[in-house]
Amino acid sequence: SAQEMKCMENMSSLLHGSAPDDFQRLEPKSEREAAEQPWEMIMDKKHFKLWRRPIEGTHLYQYRVFGTYTDVTPRQFFNVQLDTEYRKKWDSLVIKLDVIERDLATGSEVIHWVTHFPYPMYSRDYVYVRRYRVDQENNMMVLVSRAVEHPSVPEDPEYVRVRTYESQMVIRPHKTFDENGFDYLLTYSDNPQTVFPRYCVSWMVSSGMPDFLEKLHAATLKAKKMEIEVRDYLAAKAAGEGGEGKASAELRADGPRGPAQLEYA
């Protein structure tokens, strides 16, 4: 994910000041992607660009968003994205969003997420594991997620279980983690298991992710201006760097958090 972010940054730098069509013609590739399907640009907005490419052997697409924000800090954006309790307040599509389990050794979290889908479709539920890394040396944050099975979350007949889901978010500050301005690269795919034609599913997924990112940005701005308390995942990670046990204990803490773990986003 980090290597692909560097490829996108290099391409963006080369095209700085070029015509928009130049970005359309170039493909955001890493060496690993050279032999894979080409990316097709399907949305070109002021703050982000969206590509898709078919996933071989399926009727699905993989999507990629490259965007920039200049009015919030990378730390704020990262923390709001990770804070499941705050998301329940700003994302009206959330029906349920709970941390099912935390791994002591790695800090990975298993999440159960139930979300509304457009009428007349049933709501979908996801069980996925997520892990994040803050790379101070390379000035980068990475958050990865993928669908998993978990014995404590059996299928509910009220929802449609999404079993294919992957997401990788890379955030690169323009300066530091605590100064406004950053680029991000989001690569994701899922199979919502609908009976609608491929073009309908493509429209739904490709329009839904930009909407989510705008809501995430708005929630970050709101937290910043109103000083809403959002857990500081970067500080918690840094406090635990002396040993896995300490970091894991902080991740498991469900009660009041100390200054090292919580700050105003």
Side-chain angles (χ1 to χ4, degrees):
S1 296
Q3 288 174 346
E4 288 164 8
M5 179 62 165
K6 290 175 183 176
C7 290
M8 288 298 299
E9 288 176 327
N10 291 338
M11 187 176 75
S12 180
S13 177
L14 287 170
L15 291 173
H16 185 67
S18 301
D21 288 345
D22 293 338
F23 218 116
Q24 170 83 41
R25 286 192 292 268
L26 288 180
E27 297 169 6
K29 287 183 178 180
S30 64
E31 290 182 8
R32 181 179 59 82
E33 296 176 310
E36 298 178 349
Q37 294 274 10
W39 291 93
E40 170 196 4
M41 180 179 282
I42 56 175
M43 198 174 293
D44 188 358
K45 300 287 188 180
K46 182 180 179 181
H47 296 297
F48 69 87
K49 302 177 188 298
L50 173 64
W51 293 266
R52 73 178 182 184
R53 68 177 179 185
I55 299 174
E56 193 171 348
T58 75
H59 65 287
L60 304 171
Y61 287 100
Q62 185 180 35
Y63 297 87
R64 173 161 288 177
V65 183
F66 181 69
T68 301
Y69 288 118
T70 58
D71 52 0
V72 293
T73 72
R75 181 191 293 264
Q76 291 158 350
F77 188 72
F78 192 66
N79 287 337
V80 168
Q81 190 171 180
L82 283 164
D83 195 308
T84 53
E85 291 305 310
Y86 182 37
R87 181 171 175 179
K88 293 175 186 178
K89 299 174 183 177
W90 61 261
D91 188 349
S92 60
L93 295 179
V94 168
I95 299 172
K96 185 177 182 181
L97 185 63
D98 296 314
V99 178
I100 303 301
E101 185 178 352
R102 291 184 174 94
D103 182 69
L104 288 172
T106 64
S108 295
E109 296 178 321
V110 177
I111 310 290
H112 183 211
W113 170 38
V114 185
T115 182
H116 289 288
F117 259 52
Y119 180 83
M121 292 185 287
Y122 286 102
S123 298
R124 262 56 177 174
D125 80 325
Y126 295 71
V127 180
Y128 65 93
V129 61
R130 71 179 186 186
R131 186 183 300 182
Y132 67 94
R133 175 169 295 176
V134 180
D135 188 341
Q136 301 276 355
E137 183 178 343
N138 292 305
N139 204 34
M140 186 179 294
M141 294 175 279
V142 182
L143 171 64
V144 296
S145 304
R146 64 176 174 83
V148 293
E149 299 285 338
H150 197 280
S152 68
V153 192
E155 285 193 63
D156 187 327
E158 190 175 346
Y159 313 122
V160 175
R161 174 65 53 87
V162 176
R163 299 187 178 279
T164 304
Y165 166 70
E166 287 188 359
S167 172
Q168 300 93 36
M169 168 77 85
V170 184
I171 298 172
R172 168 86 81 176
H174 291 164
K175 294 181 181 178
T176 70
F177 293 131
D178 294 301
E179 294 179 81
N180 284 353
F182 61 90
D183 298 328
Y184 67 87
L185 178 64
L186 171 64
T187 306
Y188 68 97
S189 62
D190 73 353
N191 181 2
Q193 295 183 230
T194 71
V195 294
F196 293 103
R198 177 175 179 166
Y199 71 88
C200 291
V201 177
S202 175
W203 173 83
M204 183 174 61
V205 177
S206 62
S207 62
M209 183 52 69
D211 288 346
F212 168 76
L213 288 166
E214 288 302 317
K215 288 194 295 183
L216 175 61
H217 174 235
T220 306
L221 276 175
K222 184 176 180 180
K224 177 182 180 180
K225 292 176 180 177
M226 299 181 66
E227 294 192 330
I228 296 170
E229 288 188 345
V230 176
R231 180 178 179 181
D232 185 4
Y233 286 79
L234 275 73
K237 198 80 165 180
E241 284 178 353
E244 292 284 358
K246 184 176 181 181
S248 301
E250 287 177 334
L251 283 168
R252 291 182 62 87
D254 295 320
R257 303 183 179 100
Q261 294 170 271
L262 191 70
E263 73 160 21
Y264 290 113

